[in-house]
């Protein structure tokens, strides 16, 4: 390892040379209280920025082991440090002169959800802190401007590091609060199963967002208050006793007039699969981690999925036990989404009537009289929802605003009235007696067969070159084959899409042997992540700093939407 002064000498030696001279800087350098690693140097000032790593040894960083001795506390501390470093870094980005990306200084900027990221890592043994970031090495045209890079490396960067990565420089109370919040959130999630709940919403939570595209809590919003009939009390290790609405296992229906908060409550619940940072308003909105949002998805690719529990006897004779299409309809796509969620191990479905296929959800009595059951290939979800819970242990939380059919099936009915929840189960059940469901019921059906196998493809990556890129939150491209992820509503960060791209590459190159089932493949990938870290998945000479972990459910969903993949 070289010294910081050797780095300074190298910078002055290459000043005004051709831009590729920056390549000489690759390596590690010892500064007074940390190490600087230059892992990758961009080949051009207009290319993707250079990759840089900062490492602070545990003894220097000074974080007590009890701040990172469990996975959830470690992730929360990493998120806290990354947020602080990111905020500080923005003050210096582009403060130097030059062409192209000269002077750019960037690191992961976490959102409201607390995710495990490669942008910041804490060593669970020593307490050492590693930050991975990007720097646009300055240039004049395509000539090295190392005087400006020297300003970044020896002035801007040290000021960021000293203020954000050493415990004595931080507000110890805020650090402790972030870690304790994560511990409490984990305690709630653990108690869900113990108390027969699938979700919890604490009294006082702020669920509405500032705008439709903002993640900030709405100012002057109505704080959430549980109906007395549904209120439960949980004991947390740090917060103490907390009260709020407990949603029990089974079928929960959320109804109410338009703009009264039905979808707002559902959105908070579906994002409750993640922990949230303090100040978000939804810190204590917690759902089962395996919960999956189910919706219609016209035009998606479906590969070898057994949707026969919902769709049978198609007029064209198409097989629905091994259903395949490159252009699914609303009903077939939603049926596939349900079955694939089952395959991923989900124990909770979130469904909003607004984003569902009507003919998949219900068929009223008049329609059944005109179009007889034997002429309709679709068995609506209303006829299966009870079976999902009773037979498979899968609960459903469903928002409905126009159809009352689910009143008959629901175990609990909540009416949202001006953002205030009211428990109306008994009232709704009594009113529903005057509107009985159509006679007849769907016959029980066996659990779908989950033995799909990823077929090998010798052509994929045969030349060793695989091009991957993300397209915002819309999807990822692998060798120009686009995987559309727009409708996976529980993906919350573009860095999760970067991780999915790495996972797809790894699965395609390392796991697609035609022998393991899709379930076994996903299990193997997740075991590799747990044992060897995401470094094993990525390969390459350095670990990208722009990756955020995804759940098992999104990994399954991404594989299922890859048109190039053969299942």
């Amino acid at each position: 390892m070289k010294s910081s002064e050797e780095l300074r000498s190298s910078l002055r030696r290459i000043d005004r040379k051709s831009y590729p001279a920056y390549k000489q800087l690759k390596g590690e350098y010892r500064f007074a209280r940390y190490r600087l690693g230059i892992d990758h140097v961009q080949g051009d000032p207009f290319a993707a920025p250079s990759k840089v790593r900062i490492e602070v040894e545990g003894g220097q960083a000074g974080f007590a082991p009890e701040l990172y001795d469990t996975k959830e506390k470690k992730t929360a501390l990493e998120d806290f440090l990354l947020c602080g470093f990111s905020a500080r870094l923005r003050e210096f980005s582009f403060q130097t002169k030059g062409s192209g990306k000269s002077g750019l200084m960037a690191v992961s900027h976490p959102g409201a959800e607390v995710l495990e990221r490669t942008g910041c890592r804490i060593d669970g043994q020593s307490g050492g802190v590693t930050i991975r970031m990007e720097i646009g090495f300055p240039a004049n045209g395509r000539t090295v401007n190392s005087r400006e890079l020297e300003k970044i490396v020896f002035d801007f960067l040290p000021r960021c590091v000293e203020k954000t990565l050493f415990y004595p420089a931080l507000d110890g109370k805020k650090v402790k609060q972030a870690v304790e919040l994560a511990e409490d959130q984990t305690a709630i999630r653990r108690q869900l199963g113990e108390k027969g709940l699938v979700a919890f919403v604490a009294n006082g939570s702020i669920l509405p967002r500032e705008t439709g595209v903002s993640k900030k809590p709405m100012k002057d919003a109505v704080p959430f208050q549980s109906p007395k009939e549904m209120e439960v009390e949980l004991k947390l290790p740090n917060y103490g006793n907390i009260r709020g609405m407990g949603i029990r296992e089974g079928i929960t229906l959320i109804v109410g007039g338009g703009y009264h908060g039905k979808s707002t409550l559902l959105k908070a619940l579906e994002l409750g699969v993640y922990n949230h940072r303090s100040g978000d308003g939804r810190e204590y909105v917690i759902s089962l981690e395996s919960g999956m949002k189910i919706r219609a998805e016209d035009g998606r690719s479906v590969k070898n999925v057994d949707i026969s529990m919902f769709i049978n006897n198609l007029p064209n004779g198409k097989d629905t036990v091994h259903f395949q299409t490159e252009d699914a309809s609303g009903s077939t796509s939603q049926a596939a989404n349900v079955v694939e969620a089952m395959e991923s191990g989900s124990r909770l479905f979130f469904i909003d009537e607004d984003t569902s296929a009507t003919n998949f959800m219900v068929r009223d009595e008049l329609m059944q009289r005109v179009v007889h059951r034997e002429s309709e290939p679709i068995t609506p979800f209303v006829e299966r929802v009870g079976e999902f819970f009773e037979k498979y242990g899968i609960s459903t939380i469903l928002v409905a605003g126009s159809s009352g059919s689910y009143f008959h099936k629901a175990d609990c009915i909540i009416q949202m009235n001006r953002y205030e929840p009211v428990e109306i189960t008994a009232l709704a059940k009594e009113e529903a007696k005057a509107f009985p469901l159509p006679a007849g019921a769907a016959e029980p059906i066996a659990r779908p067969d989950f033995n799909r196998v990823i077929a090998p493809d010798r052509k994929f990556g045969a030349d060793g070159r695989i091009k991957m890129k993300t397209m915002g939150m819309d999807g990822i491209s692998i060798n120009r084959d686009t995987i559309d992820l727009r409708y996976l509503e529980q993906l919350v960060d573009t860095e999760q899409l970067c991780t999915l791209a790495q996972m797809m590459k790894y699965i395609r190159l390392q796991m697609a042997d035609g022998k393991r089932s899709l379930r076994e493949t996903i299990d193997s990938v997740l075991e590799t992540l747990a044992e060897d870290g995401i470094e094993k998945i990525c390969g390459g000479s350095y670990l990208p700093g722009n990756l955020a972990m995804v759940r098992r459910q999104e990994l399954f969903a991404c594989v299922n939407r890859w048109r190039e993949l053969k299942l």
Side-chain angles (χ1 to χ4, degrees):
M1 184 184 301
K2 298 179 181 179
S3 69
S4 60
E5 286 308 310
E6 287 178 283
L7 174 59
R8 193 192 300 271
S9 297
S10 296
L11 285 170
R12 291 178 177 177
R13 186 177 62 253
I14 65 173
D15 191 34
R16 300 186 182 181
K17 290 188 177 181
S18 177
Y19 198 84
Y22 270 135
K23 297 282 185 182
Q24 301 172 29
L25 303 181
K26 186 175 179 181
E28 290 194 349
Y29 301 90
R30 166 65 69 183
F31 281 67
R33 299 221 293 165
Y34 61 89
R35 292 190 300 272
L36 174 68
I38 300 176
D39 295 325
H40 171 76
V41 178
Q42 63 202 94
D44 184 276
F46 299 90
S50 301
K51 315 303 178 187
V52 172
R53 168 175 38 90
I54 298 161
E55 295 183 351
V56 182
E57 294 179 356
Q60 290 279 3
F63 294 98
E66 56 266 26
L67 294 174
Y68 56 85
D69 57 2
T70 65
K71 182 177 179 180
E72 65 271 8
K73 290 198 284 186
K74 178 173 170 289
T75 301
L77 180 56
E78 290 167 345
D79 179 83
F80 182 89
L81 296 179
L82 195 54
C83 284
F85 188 83
S86 175
R88 188 72 175 174
L89 199 68
R90 284 199 298 274
E91 299 175 16
F92 299 103
S93 188
F94 288 115
Q95 292 301 304
T96 56
K97 302 174 182 178
S99 53
K101 295 183 173 65
S102 294
L104 180 146
M105 300 175 70
V107 71
S108 296
H109 181 60
E113 294 77 18
V114 179
L115 305 175
E116 184 181 351
R117 299 174 186 269
T118 56
C120 179
R121 287 286 188 86
I122 294 175
D123 188 297
Q125 300 298 318
S126 69
V129 179
T130 300
I131 292 283
R132 290 180 174 86
M133 60 176 293
E134 296 181 330
I135 298 178
F137 283 9
N140 291 324
R142 283 183 167 81
T143 300
V144 166
N145 186 348
S146 63
R147 294 287 178 178
E148 293 295 295
L149 182 55
E150 185 176 343
K151 191 185 302 182
I152 291 172
V153 172
F154 289 92
D155 182 10
F156 299 166
L157 205 52
R159 287 158 67 183
C160 291
V161 172
E162 291 291 339
K163 292 290 186 181
T164 60
L165 301 185
F166 296 93
Y167 182 75
L170 301 173
D171 184 331
K173 185 177 179 180
K174 289 184 178 179
V175 174
K176 186 179 180 183
Q177 286 175 343
V179 169
E180 288 182 345
L181 174 59
E183 192 174 24
D184 284 345
Q185 291 165 333
T186 301
I188 294 175
R189 194 167 280 112
R190 183 182 62 251
Q191 291 179 65
L192 292 181
E194 296 171 358
K195 296 181 178 294
L197 304 174
V198 295
F200 174 81
V201 184
N203 292 338
S205 296
I206 302 299
L207 306 188
R209 299 295 93 184
E210 196 172 58
T211 66
V213 294
S214 172
K215 291 188 177 183
K216 295 180 180 179
M218 179 185 289
K219 296 178 181 178
D220 302 320
V222 177
F224 187 88
Q225 180 63 45
S226 171
K228 290 298 181 184
E229 302 87 342
M230 300 180 69
E231 195 168 57
V232 298
E233 184 174 88
L234 305 178
K235 185 173 179 59
L236 307 184
N238 303 295
Y239 186 95
N241 294 339
I242 187 169
R243 300 185 68 85
M245 183 175 75
I247 297 181
R248 302 205 168 273
E249 296 172 343
I251 304 162
T252 299
L253 185 63
I254 303 172
V255 299
Y259 301 97
H260 279 258
K262 304 186 302 297
S263 295
T264 298
L265 173 57
L266 186 71
K267 188 68 177 177
L269 290 168
E270 69 191 49
L271 293 182
V273 299
Y274 301 112
N275 289 347
H276 285 73
R277 192 177 304 111
S278 178
D280 175 71
R282 301 169 295 183
E283 299 95 322
Y284 298 107
V285 179
I286 304 293
S287 305
L288 290 183
E289 193 173 7
S290 67
M292 189 68 180
K293 177 67 180 290
I294 305 294
R295 58 167 294 159
E297 201 171 337
D298 297 53
R300 67 152 287 197
S301 167
V302 178
K303 298 182 183 297
N304 192 19
V305 178
D306 183 357
I307 61 172
S308 60
M309 63 165 54
F310 296 111
I311 300 175
N312 265 306
N313 304 316
L314 291 174
N316 59 8
K318 192 164 187 174
D319 181 10
T320 58
V321 175
H322 303 93
F323 185 75
Q324 298 203 116
T325 181
E326 289 299 313
D327 187 20
S329 66
S331 57
T332 55
S333 64
Q334 194 158 359
N337 288 343
V338 169
V339 176
E340 290 167 355
M342 290 178 69
E343 186 176 18
S344 75
S346 179
R347 290 182 47 232
L348 174 63
F349 294 158
F350 302 104
I351 301 178
D352 193 330
E353 181 185 74
D354 284 351
T355 55
S356 296
T358 303
N359 59 344
F360 175 80
M361 296 300 293
V362 294
R363 291 186 74 232
D364 64 23
E365 184 175 7
L366 176 58
M367 184 59 73
Q368 293 207 31
R369 286 186 179 185
V370 175
V371 181
H372 297 291
R373 181 180 290 271
E374 56 269 21
S375 300
E376 173 55 71
I378 301 176
T379 300
F381 187 74
V382 69
E383 296 186 24
R384 294 287 186 213
V385 65
E387 185 180 353
F388 270 107
F389 179 61
E390 294 159 11
K391 196 170 182 180
Y392 306 122
I394 301 174
S395 299
T396 298
I397 300 176
L398 189 151
V399 165
S402 61
S403 172
S405 297
Y406 284 89
F407 284 145
H408 296 275
K409 300 292 184 177
D411 299 306
C412 176
I413 302 170
I414 303 167
Q415 179 180 353
M416 294 301 294
N417 184 11
R418 299 178 184 272
Y419 286 94
E420 295 181 0
V422 182
E423 198 274 339
I424 61 165
T425 307
L427 171 65
K429 292 283 189 183
E430 184 63 30
E431 294 294 331
K433 291 178 181 178
F435 301 89
L437 289 174
E443 294 183 4
I445 194 167
R447 187 182 184 91
D449 183 16
F450 299 134
N451 286 315
R452 295 186 293 161
V453 173
I454 301 176
D457 185 352
R458 298 184 185 280
K459 294 179 182 178
F460 185 85
D463 60 356
R465 299 182 64 185
I466 297 175
K467 294 182 179 180
M468 302 183 300
K469 68 176 181 179
T470 59
M471 297 170 287
M473 292 297 294
D474 289 346
I476 58 179
S477 174
I478 302 179
N479 283 356
R480 298 184 180 179
D481 186 29
T482 299
I483 305 175
D484 189 347
L485 303 176
R486 287 174 297 167
Y487 302 114
L488 297 185
E489 298 179 41
Q490 288 163 292
L491 287 173
V492 295
D493 196 294
T494 56
E495 292 193 353
Q496 290 180 302
L497 276 72
C498 294
T499 301
L500 286 170
Q502 294 285 353
M503 287 177 165
M504 294 305 102
K505 173 185 172 183
Y506 180 77
I507 288 173
R508 199 69 191 85
L509 292 179
Q510 305 294 331
M511 310 296 292
D513 56 8
K515 298 176 182 179
R516 283 174 281 212
S517 70
L518 178 56
R519 270 185 162 183
E520 291 170 336
T521 299
I522 300 299
D523 286 342
S524 180
V525 171
L526 295 176
E527 286 171 11
T528 299
L529 285 173
E531 293 174 7
D532 303 320
I534 201 165
E535 293 88 340
K536 180 72 173 180
I537 299 293
C538 295
S541 58
Y542 64 91
L543 178 63
N546 63 339
L547 305 180
M549 281 305 299
V550 296
R551 301 182 303 147
R552 176 188 181 88
Q553 280 64 38
E554 277 73 43
L555 180 51
F556 261 96
C558 189
V559 170
N560 284 319
R561 284 158 181 76
W562 192 355
R563 293 178 184 271
E564 186 271 348
L565 211 61
K566 295 179 175 61
L567 290 170

